[in-house]
Amino acid sequence: MVIFMSSLGNKKVIAENINYYLMLTEKTQKELCKDLGFKETTVSDWINAKTYPRIDKIEMMANYFGIQKSNLIEKRSATDKSVFSIYSYIYIPESISAGALENINAINDLPQIDMPDAILGKYAHDKDIVFMTVNGESMNRVISNHSVIAVKTNIDRNLLSNGDIVIASNNGGYTVKRFINDERNQRIILRPDSTDESFSDIIIPYDIADDLRIFGKVVVYSVIL
């Protein structure tokens, strides 16, 4: 198949598709630029059908959205089911705590949950992704009680940024909190983000931080309005 990248029609098609997948994955143009290292003016030209992206940029966006390159460069039809491609992920059925640290039962036979690629975006088909359910109000400013969350496991703690939402375990308990590496005071802080002021920081000094395990980083969560 020959693709005439300079044609106005194809510029319009890819512009529509980029906008569509941004909306579907709840991403902004600014986030796309930041995550992939694109210039905002360049992406703006693509979205406004002024220019056509190079094939390597198309591949980067396709990977980011968790789709095939053809989904970006070909006109979508009402019967096109490719955007609804499904992948199975591990699901941990026990609710983890979004409040105080609490123990969860060990799970031997983990079930799986099917999720559309469009929901996971750049994390689609990532074998380190697991799904959990939050139980608690200590993160309710951003993650409501009973929300389903996607967690990227096998995360290096040293690569986390302050403010990242993590699943942390300490002495066998699990909690959902914002991660703060307080280097000045030599401590790790697991901070709630809640409308309920009764929730407080969990503070772990560096000298006992070896017992702290970051199970994963929350990369997707559901919001019910």
Side-chain angles (χ1 to χ4, degrees):
M1 177 177 63
V2 179
I3 301 172
F4 297 99
M5 294 187 178
S6 61
S7 70
L8 182 59
N10 282 318
K11 290 178 187 176
K12 285 184 176 180
V13 167
I14 201 163
E16 291 173 356
N17 287 339
I18 294 172
N19 272 313
Y20 174 76
Y21 286 108
L22 283 172
M23 178 186 67
L24 199 64
T25 56
E26 298 183 344
K27 294 289 185 180
T28 65
Q29 179 180 331
K30 190 171 185 177
E31 287 175 320
L32 174 69
C33 296
K34 179 182 178 181
D35 292 341
L36 297 184
F38 295 162
K39 292 182 179 179
E40 290 191 37
T41 53
T42 301
V43 174
S44 179
D45 285 344
W46 297 341
I47 289 177
N48 289 295
K50 293 181 179 179
T51 59
Y52 196 100
R54 299 199 315 259
I55 191 65
D56 61 316
K57 306 300 183 185
I58 294 173
E59 186 168 4
M60 288 175 67
M61 285 189 287
N63 291 335
Y64 182 73
F65 293 131
I67 57 176
Q68 300 295 319
K69 286 186 290 185
S70 59
N71 294 134
L72 283 177
I73 61 180
E74 295 177 3
K75 188 172 180 62
R76 289 180 294 105
S77 68
T79 58
D80 184 8
K81 304 296 184 182
S82 59
V83 298
F84 299 109
S85 55
I86 301 294
Y87 191 76
S88 294
Y89 303 88
I90 289 175
Y91 177 70
I92 299 177
E94 274 80 356
S95 294
I96 60 176
S97 173
L101 290 171
E102 70 176 1
N103 293 323
I104 62 172
N105 294 328
I107 303 169
N108 295 320
D109 298 319
L110 294 172
Q112 293 193 329
I113 184 172
D114 293 336
M115 283 288 170
D117 289 352
I119 297 296
L120 273 296
K122 65 180 179 181
Y123 297 105
H125 298 203
D126 189 325
K127 296 186 182 302
D128 288 330
I129 293 290
V130 301
F131 280 83
M132 298 177 171
T133 302
V134 170
N135 180 22
E137 298 288 350
S138 77
M139 289 296 294
N140 66 15
R141 289 186 188 275
V142 287
I143 305 178
S144 301
N145 190 17
H146 304 309
S147 293
V148 174
I149 56 176
V151 180
K152 169 77 171 174
T153 62
N154 293 326
I155 291 290
D156 185 342
R157 191 170 82 187
N158 295 323
L159 298 180
L160 289 171
S161 299
N162 286 344
D164 282 345
I165 300 175
V166 300
I167 310 299
S169 67
N170 191 33
N171 297 323
Y174 287 82
T175 189
V176 187
K177 293 290 187 294
R178 289 199 182 275
F179 174 87
I180 307 292
N181 182 12
D182 183 6
E183 295 182 2
R184 180 177 179 179
N185 295 298
Q186 299 286 289
R187 60 185 184 170
I188 301 295
I189 302 172
L190 302 177
R191 177 159 292 166
D193 195 347
S194 176
T195 57
D196 185 343
E197 295 182 358
S198 67
F199 292 103
S200 58
D201 291 349
I202 297 172
I203 298 175
I204 305 167
Y206 277 1
D207 58 1
I208 60 171
D210 288 344
D211 293 332
L212 173 67
R213 178 192 170 209
I214 302 300
F215 178 77
K217 174 183 173 181
V218 178
V219 294
V220 176
Y221 54 89
S222 64
V223 177
I224 301 175
L225 301 177

